[in-house]
Amino acid sequence: MSNLTGKKIILGVTGSISAYKSALLTRLLVKSGAEVQVLMTRAARDFITPLTLATLSKRPVLSEFTSSSGAGEGQWNNHVELALWADLIVVAPVSAHSLARFAHGFCDDLLAAVYLSARCPIFLAPAMDLDMYHHPATLENLRRLETFGNRIIQAEHGELASGLVGEGRLAEPEHILVELERHFAQRPVFRHKQILITAGPTQEPIDPVRFISNHSSGKMGYAIARAFAHAGADVTLISGPTVQPLPDPTIRRISVRSAREMFDATAAEFSKAHIIVLAAAVADYTPAEPAQQKIKKKEAVFALQMTKTIDIAATLGKQKRPDQITVGFALETNDELSNAVSKLRAKNFDFIVLNSLRDPGAGFGHDTNKITVIDKDEQVYEFDLKSKDKVAEDLLNLVQEQLAMV
């Protein structure tokens, strides 16, 4: 279920060439389960038709204080009731002109009246040409609006309608959706908390061409990073090689390849973190002496001498402070619970997340997972098979409960 499900969203659309993107944003909001009421300025109707947005939102689009046609002719569109109805207002695009109106309290149309009457959070996504966006008047208006408590979704860099290239493009609808999802997912307890997460596999070099690795896709670690970022935490993600996209633009990703690189990066960040989630599938062994040249195929039998890698969890577990919470992972194929409990104790975890490869739909590569979590008091929490995003939420809830006791 999306964090937007059941939320009442007012989408304001103002006069900008990028108003065409408001159609996709409306569609994304509706697909996420939100109720969407579109308000358009008069100028916006020159760029996209109200019919398009009414069809996508499944509600009549409002522009004027009174309806002038149809069965509701002469009906008052009560700006106060609209403002009180909304859980959130997002204006996308907001033009330079509308920014100025909002910043200085002008109230000459329905959208401006709703803006001034709102008690809910307001997000503004500006769109305009490069020089307009960087003009001192616009920058001052943006600063002023932020002091009012408005959230600014910064314009993005790219080719503009004028042909110039630079900042001023309306943020992509998918990026705006992430901002709104994050807003409704935020939990005050995670605000300003530093979260360190490892994810993905490691690759241990045999020679310049070949390496030893495992089947980890990084999906679980990336889902956990997304959950903490949406909850309002400051997330650092140390990732082995994976094709997973950055799950949230606020996440700081550090890319590594080998177990040694993952240890060095994790150790450098460990002392700053309040919560550490070690979800990466780190190699236990690495070739003792990787060849400097490609190994040619000659012998029928090829022997490779291996040496143990640094145990990241055990090493950092000895450095763990009482105010830190650590979460480890155990992927087992037999004696699952006893092996997980042994690892919990040996590595000084607060929680260990147990996966069994004997559970269908769990483990590497799947979009789902089935976990059992054991805490430091050896209390066991069992969860059903569910999406990895939902699994990440379950872990977030357990960590939140523990955080209250630290």
Side-chain angles (χ1 to χ4, degrees), residues 23-153:
L24 177 55
L25 179 56
T26 302
R27 180 66 178 145
L28 291 173
L29 289 169
V30 171
K31 284 184 68 176
S32 297
E35 296 180 50
V36 181
Q37 175 62 66
V38 178
L39 304 183
M40 298 179 72
T41 63
R42 299 177 189 94
R45 293 179 295 190
D46 292 332
F47 295 95
I48 187 170
T49 67
L51 177 61
T52 298
L53 297 177
T55 302
L56 293 171
S57 67
K58 301 177 176 62
R59 302 172 74 97
V61 170
L62 305 179
S63 292
E64 308 291 346
F65 286 101
T66 59
S67 300
S68 58
S69 62
E73 183 176 358
Q75 179 178 321
W76 179 35
N77 297 319
N78 189 325
H79 58 282
V80 176
E81 288 184 1
L82 283 165
L84 293 175
W85 171 84
D87 294 311
L88 179 144
I89 296 172
V90 55
V91 186
V94 55
S95 64
H97 179 67
S98 291
L99 276 178
R101 291 162 61 233
F102 294 158
H104 296 278
F106 292 116
C107 187
D108 54 353
D109 68 4
L110 181 61
L111 177 58
V114 170
Y115 168 82
L116 289 174
S117 302
R119 299 178 183 176
C120 63
I122 297 174
F123 286 73
L124 303 173
M128 64 200 72
D129 210 69
L130 172 64
D131 296 319
M132 296 172 67
Y133 190 61
H134 287 286
H135 192 280
T138 301
L139 296 176
E140 176 59 23
N141 286 335
L142 288 168
R143 186 203 63 77
R144 183 179 174 88
L145 287 164
E146 283 187 305
T147 66
F148 296 164
N150 299 160
R151 326 286 177 85
I152 307 299
I153 302 175

Side-chain angles (χ1 to χ4, degrees), residues 200-212:
T202 61
Q203 295 177 352
E204 307 306 314
I206 297 172
D207 62 21
V209 177
R210 305 175 182 92
F211 57 81
I212 295 171

Side-chain angles (χ1 to χ4, degrees), residues 312-330:
I312 297 174
T315 303
L316 297 181
K318 295 174 183 177
Q319 303 173 22
K320 178 177 175 289
R321 302 188 308 268
D323 64 328
Q324 290 179 305
I325 296 172
T326 55
V327 182
F329 276 68

Side-chain angles (χ1 to χ4, degrees), residues 129-338:
D129 210 69
L130 172 64
D131 296 319
M132 296 172 67
Y133 190 61
H134 287 286
H135 192 280
T138 301
L139 296 176
E140 176 59 23
N141 286 335
L142 288 168
R143 186 203 63 77
R144 183 179 174 88
L145 287 164
E146 283 187 305
T147 66
F148 296 164
N150 299 160
R151 326 286 177 85
I152 307 299
I153 302 175
Q154 297 294 337
E156 297 180 356
H157 186 281
E159 185 175 356
L160 305 170
S162 65
L164 296 175
V165 175
E167 286 183 311
R169 287 170 60 99
L170 177 68
E172 292 302 320
E174 294 86 355
H175 299 167
I176 296 173
L177 190 75
V178 167
E179 291 283 346
L180 305 188
E181 286 267 14
R182 186 190 300 117
H183 167 75
F184 285 114
Q186 284 192 353
R187 307 184 187 188
V189 69
F190 289 112
R191 196 166 296 140
H192 306 306
K193 288 290 187 289
Q194 301 293 323
I195 315 297
L196 177 62
I197 299 170
T198 67
T202 61
Q203 295 177 352
E204 307 306 314
I206 297 172
D207 62 21
V209 177
R210 305 175 182 92
F211 57 81
I212 295 171
S213 190
N214 56 59
H215 295 294
S216 174
S217 65
K219 289 179 180 178
M220 189 69 254
Y222 275 59
I224 295 168
R226 180 188 301 108
F228 275 102
H230 283 193
D234 297 324
V235 177
T236 296
L237 174 63
I238 299 176
S239 176
T242 175
V243 298
Q244 301 302 315
L246 189 67
D248 186 279
T250 65
I251 293 172
R252 180 169 70 105
R253 178 167 55 187
I254 300 171
S255 296
V256 299
R257 186 166 296 276
S258 66
R260 181 74 218 193
E261 289 177 4
M262 184 163 282
F263 170 76
D264 289 342
T266 307
E269 299 291 330
F270 184 80
S271 65
K272 309 173 211 172
H274 300 100
I275 299 162
I276 301 95
V277 182
L278 301 176
V282 183
D284 294 323
Y285 291 89
T286 188
E289 295 184 8
Q292 298 303 306
Q293 304 293 329
K294 179 183 176 182
I295 299 171
K296 298 298 183 181
K297 183 170 65 175
K298 295 178 180 178
E299 308 297 333
V301 177
F302 174 65
L304 188 64
Q305 187 176 13
M306 307 286 284
T307 184
K308 270 189 176 182
T309 58
I310 296 175
D311 190 324
I312 297 174
T315 303
L316 297 181
K318 295 174 183 177
Q319 303 173 22
K320 178 177 175 289
R321 302 188 308 268
D323 64 328
Q324 290 179 305
I325 296 172
T326 55
V327 182
F329 276 68
L331 180 63
E332 304 291 343
T333 58
N334 61 284
D335 300 324
E336 289 95 334
L337 195 59
S338 61

Side-chain angles (χ1 to χ4, degrees), residues 341-392:
V341 169
S342 296
K343 192 172 182 180
L344 173 77
R345 294 170 180 164
K347 303 190 179 184
N348 197 21
F349 289 137
D350 292 281
F351 297 97
I352 192 159
V353 181
L354 170 62
N355 293 131
S356 172
L357 283 181
R358 295 194 288 184
D359 290 327
F364 293 143
H366 297 287
D367 292 326
T368 55
N369 205 358
K370 183 177 186 299
I371 65 168
T372 299
V373 180
I374 305 103
D375 69 17
K376 60 185 177 182
D377 297 322
E378 298 186 21
Q379 183 173 348
V380 177
Y381 306 84
E382 294 188 359
F383 297 91
D384 295 331
L385 183 73
K386 58 185 69 176
S387 73
K388 287 184 174 177
D389 284 333
K390 292 298 182 185
V391 171

